[in-house]
């Protein structure tokens, strides 16, 4: 099954992708993670991305899609994959189409801006392996320590309240139009956010017919 997870920053895409990945036995392709990995490994495309990021500029679509396309060619993606964080724009969606990348379903997690702002304040991420946590919804067994690798949990700069509102504005302007794009292809599956992670997963699986 080839899926895209859409939703505002903090909608729970990463968490749901992790659950779906385990259930379906397919990898989650998170743009942030593969960008960081490409930069760490010093690949040519990673170094190109780093140049833009160091200059405080957005990494261009061509670089993002190049990194994603490279990743999708790996053997673990043969049975399917989940894209989280890409495409972010209509341009990226068209670039994926041009690369011949097709999808079975595009899930859109629906949640209000107010809930997002409140939720983001509690998000933490492992500095070492990137595993996501939340102080209320998904706390680690030991405060500040990753369950998986023992790394330190930190609050990312872009999860701080002052930047969340800016990120939401960008999302509504640039990413939300993707819902119409994929609705036009007949593969959009809107899923209303639920009070708990488990309840959201249940609704999501039902929507996919799993």
């Amino acid at each position: 099954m080839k899926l895209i997870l859409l939703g505002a920053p903090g909608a729970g895409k990463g968490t749901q992708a992790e659950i779906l990945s385990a259930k379906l036995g397919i990898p989650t392709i998170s743009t942030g993670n593969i960008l960081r990995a490409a930069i760490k490994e010093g690949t040519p495309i990673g170094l190109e991305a780093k140049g833009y990021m160091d200059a405080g500029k957005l990494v261009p679509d061509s670089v993002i899609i190049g990194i994603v396309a490279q990743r999708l060619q790996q053997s673990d993606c043969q049975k399917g994959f989940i894209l989280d964080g890409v495409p972010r724009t209509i341009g990226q969606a068209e670039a994926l189409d041009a690369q011949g990348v097709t999808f079975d379903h595009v899930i859109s997690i629906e949640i209000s801006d107010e809930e997002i702002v409140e939720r983001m304040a509690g998000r933490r991420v492992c500095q070492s392996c990137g595993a996501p946590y939340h102080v209320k919804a998904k706390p680690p067994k030991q405060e500040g320590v990753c369950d998986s690798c023992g790394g330190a949990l930190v609050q990312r700069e872009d999860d701080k309240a002052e930047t969340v509102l800016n990120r939401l504005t960008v999302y509504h302007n640039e990413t939300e139009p993707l819902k119409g794009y994929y609705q036009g292809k007949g593969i959009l599956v809107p899923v209303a956010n639920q009070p708990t992670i488990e309840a959201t997963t249940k609704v999501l699986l039902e929507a996919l017919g799993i």
Side-chain angles (χ1 to χ4, degrees):
M1 194 177 276
K2 296 181 284 188
L3 306 171
I4 295 175
L5 280 184
L6 287 181
K13 298 186 297 298
T15 302
Q16 294 301 330
E18 204 178 90
I19 295 165
L20 279 176
S21 172
K23 190 162 186 70
L24 300 173
I26 55 177
T28 296
I29 313 298
S30 157
T31 334
N33 287 349
I34 53 175
L35 257 180
R36 281 190 284 274
I39 290 166
K40 199 172 178 181
E41 289 161 19
T43 66
I45 209 157
L47 292 172
E48 192 180 342
K50 187 177 187 296
Y52 287 104
M53 290 161 80
D54 287 350
K57 295 176 183 172
L58 282 175
V59 180
D61 287 354
S62 58
V63 177
I64 296 280
I65 299 305
I67 287 175
V68 172
Q70 268 184 1
R71 179 67 184 87
L72 296 183
Q73 284 164 10
Q74 292 177 18
S75 57
D76 62 340
C77 293
Q78 296 310 304
K79 292 180 183 173
F81 50 81
I82 302 163
L83 285 189
D84 168 21
V86 66
R88 283 183 191 268
T89 61
I90 299 280
Q92 287 185 2
E94 290 171 343
L96 284 168
D97 288 347
Q99 292 264 2
V101 181
T102 58
F103 304 98
D104 298 309
H105 303 287
V106 177
I107 299 156
S108 174
I109 300 174
E110 306 294 330
I111 183 169
S112 72
D113 285 5
E114 292 74 27
E115 280 180 272
I116 291 286
V117 173
E118 188 183 332
R119 180 184 286 189
M120 297 282 263
R123 289 215 314 190
R124 300 293 181 270
V125 66
C126 175
Q127 240 175 351
S128 304
C129 73
Y133 293 88
H134 191 280
V135 292
K136 286 183 186 169
K138 194 190 174 189
K141 293 188 181 93
Q142 185 183 340
E143 192 180 337
V145 179
C146 177
D147 294 346
S148 304
C149 75
L153 301 185
V154 295
Q155 183 180 37
R156 297 191 312 190
E157 281 299 316
D158 54 4
D159 284 342
K160 293 181 177 170
E162 59 271 23
T163 56
V164 172
L165 291 169
N166 292 336
R167 292 179 71 201
L168 283 169
T169 302
V170 171
Y171 168 76
H172 291 309
N173 291 339
E174 294 184 7
T175 305
E176 207 161 25
L178 283 168
K179 292 200 290 191
Y181 182 82
Y182 287 115
Q183 192 167 17
K185 290 178 177 286
I187 56 172
L188 186 75
V189 182
V191 170
N193 180 64
Q194 305 298 313
T196 65
I197 289 169
E198 294 75 17
T200 302
T201 303
K202 185 171 181 288
V203 174
L204 205 153
L205 291 173
E206 282 168 4
L208 290 174
I210 299 168

